[in-house]
């Protein structure tokens, strides 16, 4: 059987139960079914938007559905995220900002780190890879130029999505009063206690015989919480973190809390900014990106004809190369990230690359073609999403490859994470 005839037969088999383009009766349930798989706090579109898309599909108003999806994607792309980080001198604010931006302290765009007061005025730091995400380093409340009575006015309170209040010892009355004011203004705040790794090390040195890590962390937390007694804001959650080991302590919990409390349309960009500290974090970033691809695919190709497996145009191939590079950069599987990791692990870059699949996705042997890869992706997609295919949800052929690229890059990121842990 010729390759072309084989492709035709296989595609016919994959979509044999697919209704014709006019039979859209099951489409709303398919759309609902897909997005229902994600928890409410991790969806990147609001329930209102989801219902609006469903209603358009139910009515058969495909142009309106496309318009609603386009508007939702535009909002996601342009939604600003402004994060305020404040606290006393030496509390670890700048280190936390660098960690959230995945920037080394020695980098040219890093927030200045020092034992003296380095934040005398408001400074902004853009995320190097996620547009519209800015972290603001605010002077601590009570400093000479930022007194409590006009602090919120001076720092332009309204523009921030939430406040992170940082301390390396205990939270003082000024910071507790700030939290009260933030709550009155109906915005979120989070108390973060930094440098717990140093506290644990000091405690172990002082009491090596009866050192208990779990008990020491409990004491640190209770010490912080005791400061809120009688404060009229209850007992807030305090996140214990180390700016130099984000995968440990409460940092993953802090990230989950921030995601849950953000508006749906702001979650995607925030999730993309998350460092690959755990496999769960990588999976959250993957899920968010997959939702985004799905929405783009629906906008560009829903109800299109079944994609023909064959030669992709130069424009298609160039687009795919850019998308692959984007995902590699996003998940830290790009050449620059691999070079840094190899240097830290003191191994050749080639040794790391051998463990990965994404660097070779667009490299083919003589008998292989990009069309052949597309065919494999269609088979895989049909196997995993047969119900959706059976209801007529077709995409332009490049999207099937894009889903494959995302799957591969995310798995590579997990491989690198496991490799990094094995070196510790």
């Amino acid at each position: 059987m010729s390759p072309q005839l084989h492709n035709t037969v296989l595609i016919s088999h994959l979509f044999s139960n697919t209704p014709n383009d006019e039979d859209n009766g099951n489409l709303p349930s398919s759309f609902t079914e897909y997005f229902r798989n994600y928890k409410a706090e991790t969806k990147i579109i609001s329930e209102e938007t989801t219902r609006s898309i469903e209603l358009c599909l139910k009515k058969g108003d495909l142009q309106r559905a496309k318009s609603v999806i386009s508007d939702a994607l535009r909002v996601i792309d342009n939604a600003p995220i402004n994060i305020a980080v404040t606290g006393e001198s030496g509390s670890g604010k700048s280190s936390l900002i660098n960690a959230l931006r995945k920037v080394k302290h020695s980098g040219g765009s890093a927030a200045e780190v020092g034992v003296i007061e380095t934040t005398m005025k408001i400074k902004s730091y853009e995320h190097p890879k996620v547009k519209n995400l800015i972290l603001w380093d605010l002077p601590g409340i009570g400093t000479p130029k930022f007194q409590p009575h006009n602090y919120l006015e001076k720092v332009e309170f309204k523009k921030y999505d939430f406040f992170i209040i940082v301390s390396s010892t205990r939270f003082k009355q000024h910071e507790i009063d700030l939290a009260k004011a933030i709550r009155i203004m109906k915005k979120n705040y989070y108390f973060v206690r930094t440098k717990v790794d140093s506290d644990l090390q000091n405690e172990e040195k002082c009491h090596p015989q009866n050192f208990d890590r779990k008990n020491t962390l409990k004491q640190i937390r209770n010490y912080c919480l005791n400061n809120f007694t009688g404060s009229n804001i209850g007992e807030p959650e305090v996140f214990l973190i180390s700016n130099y080991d984000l995968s440990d302590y409460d940092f993953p919990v802090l990230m989950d809390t921030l995601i849950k409390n953000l508006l749906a349309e702001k979650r995607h960009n925030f999730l993309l900014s998350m460092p690959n500290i755990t496999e769960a974090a990588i999976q959250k970033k993957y899920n968010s990106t997959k939702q985004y691809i799905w929405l783009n695919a629906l906008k560009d190709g829903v109800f299109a004809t079944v994609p023909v497996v064959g030669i992709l145009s130069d424009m298609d191939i160039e687009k795919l190369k850019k998308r692959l590079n984007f995902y590699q950069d996003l998940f830290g599987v790009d050449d620059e990230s691999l070079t840094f990791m190899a240097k830290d692990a003191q191994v050749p870059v080639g040794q790391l690359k051998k463990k990965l699949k994404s660097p070779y996705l667009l490299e083919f042997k003589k008998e292989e073609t990009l069309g052949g890869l597309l065919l494999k992706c269609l088979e895989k997609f049909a196997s995993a999403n047969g119900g959706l295919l059976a209801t007529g949800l077709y995409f332009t052929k490049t999207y099937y490859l894009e889903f494959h690229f995302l799957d591969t890059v995310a798995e590579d990121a997990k491989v690198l994470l496991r490799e990094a842990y094995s070196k510790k």
Side-chain angles (χ1 to χ4, degrees):
M1 182 183 293
S2 70
Q4 184 175 4
L5 180 58
H6 174 267
N7 291 349
T8 303
V9 171
L10 179 56
I11 293 300
S12 175
H13 170 70
L14 290 178
F15 297 93
S16 59
N17 294 322
T18 302
N20 61 44
D21 290 344
E22 295 178 358
D23 183 8
N24 296 321
N26 292 325
L27 285 170
S29 61
S30 296
F31 180 85
T32 306
E33 180 183 351
Y34 179 77
F35 280 93
R36 189 180 290 141
N37 289 332
Y38 297 98
K39 294 180 181 179
E41 61 266 26
T42 62
K43 289 181 181 178
I44 66 171
I45 55 174
S46 67
E47 288 297 327
E48 181 182 358
T49 300
T50 303
R51 287 194 297 270
S52 180
I53 295 169
E54 290 171 2
L55 182 60
C56 293
L57 293 175
K58 186 175 181 180
K59 291 180 176 179
D61 190 348
L62 306 187
Q63 288 300 320
R64 176 59 183 160
K66 182 174 181 177
S67 176
V68 174
I69 294 171
S70 296
D71 288 344
L73 287 168
R74 188 160 44 249
V75 169
I76 291 170
D77 284 335
N78 298 311
I81 305 174
N82 291 286
I83 303 171
V85 183
T86 185
E88 62 183 1
S89 172
S91 63
K93 283 187 303 171
S94 297
S95 295
L96 177 59
I97 288 172
N98 291 336
L100 289 169
R101 296 171 65 233
K102 293 183 283 189
V103 170
K104 294 183 180 296
H105 298 318
S106 57
S109 66
E112 186 178 353
V113 176
V115 295
I116 61 172
E117 177 61 73
T118 55
T119 308
M120 301 302 292
K121 60 182 180 180
I122 300 171
K123 296 180 182 178
S124 63
Y125 296 92
E126 295 181 359
H127 194 282
K129 294 185 178 181
V130 181
K131 66 177 184 178
N132 298 332
L133 195 158
I134 302 176
L135 290 111
W136 298 82
D137 191 352
L138 307 184
I141 187 170
T143 51
K145 292 184 179 179
F146 292 85
Q147 291 297 305
H149 69 278
N150 62 357
Y151 183 82
L152 290 177
E153 180 183 348
K154 280 203 167 187
V155 301
E156 300 180 77
F157 168 86
K158 291 183 179 180
K159 72 182 176 186
Y160 306 114
D161 290 281
F162 55 84
F163 284 72
I164 297 177
I165 304 173
V166 181
S167 176
S168 60
T169 54
R170 64 184 180 84
F171 296 97
K172 298 181 173 62
Q173 190 59 47
H174 281 333
E175 292 155 342
I176 294 173
D177 290 340
L178 173 61
K180 291 179 184 178
I182 294 171
R183 185 177 64 177
I184 291 172
M185 300 290 188
K186 300 187 186 303
K187 291 206 174 184
N188 291 325
Y189 58 85
Y190 307 92
F191 287 104
V192 171
R193 169 60 158 79
T194 61
K195 303 184 181 181
V196 294
D197 52 337
S198 297
D199 291 330
L200 288 172
Q201 290 169 8
N202 292 335
E203 181 68 15
E204 187 172 15
K205 286 179 182 178
C206 294
H207 306 94
Q209 300 300 321
N210 57 358
F211 171 73
D212 184 308
R213 171 189 161 105
K214 185 176 180 180
N215 188 54
T216 302
L217 287 172
K218 183 178 180 181
Q219 289 176 356
I220 294 171
R221 195 183 303 278
N222 289 338
Y223 179 65
C224 292
L225 293 175
N226 287 340
N227 296 303
F228 296 96
T229 303
S231 65
N232 295 324
I233 63 171
E235 189 176 274
E237 186 171 8
V238 175
F239 300 92
L240 309 183
I241 72 167
S242 162
N243 292 328
Y244 298 95
D245 190 357
L246 300 182
S247 62
D248 206 351
Y249 314 109
D250 293 338
F251 190 85
V253 181
L254 172 63
M255 291 295 99
D256 287 346
T257 305
L258 298 180
I259 292 164
K260 180 176 67 175
N261 293 338
L262 272 173
L263 295 175
E265 61 267 20
K266 297 198 177 196
R267 286 189 192 125
H268 180 62
N269 278 336
F270 186 79
L271 281 161
L272 297 190
S273 76
M274 287 179 62
N276 295 345
I277 52 175
T278 62
E279 289 198 17
I282 294 171
Q283 189 65 33
K284 286 182 175 68
K285 189 185 298 188
Y286 165 82
N287 288 340
S288 179
T289 307
K290 192 170 184 180
Q291 288 179 71
Y292 189 89
I293 296 176
W294 265 92
L295 289 169
N296 251 320
L298 286 169
K299 173 178 68 72
D300 289 347
V302 72
F303 321 122
T305 57
V306 177
V308 176
V309 178
I311 298 174
L312 280 84
S313 70
D314 290 342
M315 187 177 297
D316 287 335
I317 294 171
E318 192 59 34
K319 175 186 174 183
L320 287 168
K321 285 180 180 177
K322 287 182 179 179
R323 296 311 293 171
L324 176 58
N325 291 336
F326 172 75
Y327 296 136
Q328 289 175 319
D329 186 50
L330 190 64
F331 283 84
V333 190
D334 56 300
D335 287 341
E336 183 180 4
S337 298
L338 290 176
T339 300
F340 277 123
M341 185 175 178
K343 185 177 179 181
D344 288 342
Q346 297 183 329
V347 298
V349 175
Q351 185 174 321
L352 281 181
K353 276 193 173 184
K354 285 181 182 178
K355 301 176 184 292
L356 310 179
K357 295 181 179 179
S358 62
Y360 312 104
L361 278 173
L362 293 177
E363 294 181 8
F364 302 101
K365 298 175 183 178
K366 288 184 179 179
E367 66 273 15
E368 295 176 330
T369 64
L370 191 58
L373 178 60
L374 173 59
L375 180 61
K376 290 180 182 179
C377 293
L378 279 167
E379 290 179 282
K380 180 180 177 182
F381 193 90
S383 176
N385 303 278
L388 292 171
L389 293 176
T391 54
L393 290 177
Y394 307 142
F395 307 136
T396 57
K397 55 192 172 184
T398 56
Y399 279 111
Y400 294 96
L401 287 167
E402 197 167 330
F403 284 125
H404 178 60
F405 289 173
L406 176 64
D407 287 346
T408 307
V409 170
E411 285 305 311
D412 278 355
K414 293 176 183 178
V415 169
L416 288 178
L417 180 66
R418 289 191 287 269
E419 183 71 13
Y421 274 121
S422 71
K423 300 298 181 183
K424 288 188 177 182

